[in-house]
Amino acid sequence: DTAVSQTPKYLVTQMGNDKSIKCEQNLGHDTMYWYKQDSKKFLKIMFSYNNKELIINETVPNRFSPKSPDKAHLNLHINSLELGDSAVYFCASSRGLAGEPEQFFGPGTRLTVL
Amino acid sequence: LAKTTQPISMDSYEGQEVNITCSHNNIATNDYITWYQQFPSQGPRFIIQGYKTKVTNEVASLFIPADRKSSTLSLPRVSLSDTAVYYCLVGDTNAGKSTFGDGTTLTVKP
């Protein structure tokens, strides 16, 4: 069984569209994260949730809205997509509070905005 | 947040020991140091974590000097499959924030 799964794996869309990426973890972890990795491989945290509560909200446009229906899921909704949103988005989870060193990452979602 | 600095890239040959150093001059008291490995088209994978001195597991060793302003990931006897990007992560567990370094691309040659 996959520990942290994301769907879809690839997402190609037009500028201005709204899209969602889903993430699920079956590890029983309390904390989940969204990261953005750009073309230069820089990995930046976007959001973190602990038990469905927002813990970290880095400087991210408010077009990005995370939603955590339960502690096993953290979805990412993006409104009015822009070219600069093209990147690989990784979901991750960890056992304890946000910042727990050992994080388990999903396989990533490659978003391409045309 | 503690900023980290790593070499952009390193080359090595199969069977050699590889040491990758990460600088984190502003590391805080509560920060742990963690290293991740990332292969192309995959998410990062935890390698090792430490707070001070030396930590060793079945994959790597992590050396942290007394001042904790740097750390060195040591990979013994690398193979071609160790070619990957290695990230140094400094975590402030109390504030709930961690910062990934920019990563070191390790290329292992035959």
Side-chain angles (χ1 to χ4, degrees):
Chain A
D1 283 343
T2 304
V4 182
S5 59
Q6 297 178 226
T7 53
K9 188 168 176 64
Y10 299 97
L11 186 52
V12 181
T13 188
Q14 301 285 333
M15 279 177 57
N17 284 350
D18 303 339
K19 291 293 178 186
S20 292
I21 307 172
K22 295 185 176 181
C23 178
E24 176 181 3
Q25 54 96 2
N26 62 7
L27 298 167
H29 287 167
D30 291 329
T31 304
M32 296 185 72
Y33 313 77
W34 276 109
Y35 286 87
K36 178 181 179 180
Q37 187 169 47
D38 61 22
S39 57
K40 295 184 178 179
K41 306 298 184 186
F42 297 142
L43 196 61
K44 302 298 181 189
I45 190 167
M46 300 173 68
F47 302 101
S48 172
Y49 271 72
N50 178 262
N51 277 320
K52 302 194 300 173
E53 290 190 22
L54 182 64
I55 301 296
I56 296 173
N57 183 353
E58 291 296 314
T59 307
V60 176
N62 57 15
R63 298 182 294 103
F64 291 79
S65 53
K67 293 277 193 305
S68 183
D70 55 61
K71 78 173 192 178
H73 296 83
L74 181 62
N75 304 322
L76 184 65
H77 188 75
I78 316 171
N79 289 327
S80 304
L81 278 156
E82 301 178 356
L83 293 176
D85 298 332
S86 294
V88 180
Y89 292 84
F90 288 102
C91 176
S93 71
S94 65
R95 189 167 43 232
L97 280 173
E100 174 74 22
E102 186 168 2
Q103 300 178 23
F104 294 78
F105 283 77
T109 296
R110 182 174 294 276
L111 171 65
T112 303
V113 182
L114 303 175
Chain B
L1 297 175
K3 178 175 169 51
T4 59
T5 304
Q6 308 172 228
I8 295 174
S9 63
M10 295 181 68
D11 289 343
S12 182
Y13 290 93
E14 282 189 292
Q16 289 187 335
E17 178 184 76
V18 171
N19 295 312
I20 306 174
T21 297
C22 180
S23 297
H24 26 81
N25 291 321
N26 297 323
I27 189 168
T29 303
N30 294 326
D31 285 347
Y32 279 76
I33 299 152
T34 313
W35 286 81
Y36 283 78
Q37 176 192 55
Q38 185 179 26
F39 297 114
S41 301
Q42 294 185 24
R45 184 174 70 99
F46 173 86
I47 302 175
I48 196 167
Q49 172 216 327
Y51 184 80
K52 60 181 179 181
T53 64
K54 177 184 174 182
V55 179
T56 297
N57 62 21
E58 64 278 4
V59 176
S61 294
L62 179 59
F63 298 92
I64 305 168
D67 65 7
R68 303 203 323 126
K69 293 183 183 300
S70 66
S71 57
T72 299
L73 174 73
S74 181
L75 304 172
R77 303 175 63 81
V78 294
S79 64
L80 296 177
S81 63
D82 291 317
T83 293
V85 179
Y86 292 82
Y87 292 94
C88 168
L89 173 65
V90 177
D92 179 349
T93 54
N94 282 343
K97 292 193 173 186
S98 303
T99 306
F100 272 85
D102 291 340
T104 298
T105 300
L106 172 65
T107 302
V108 180
K109 303 175 182 177

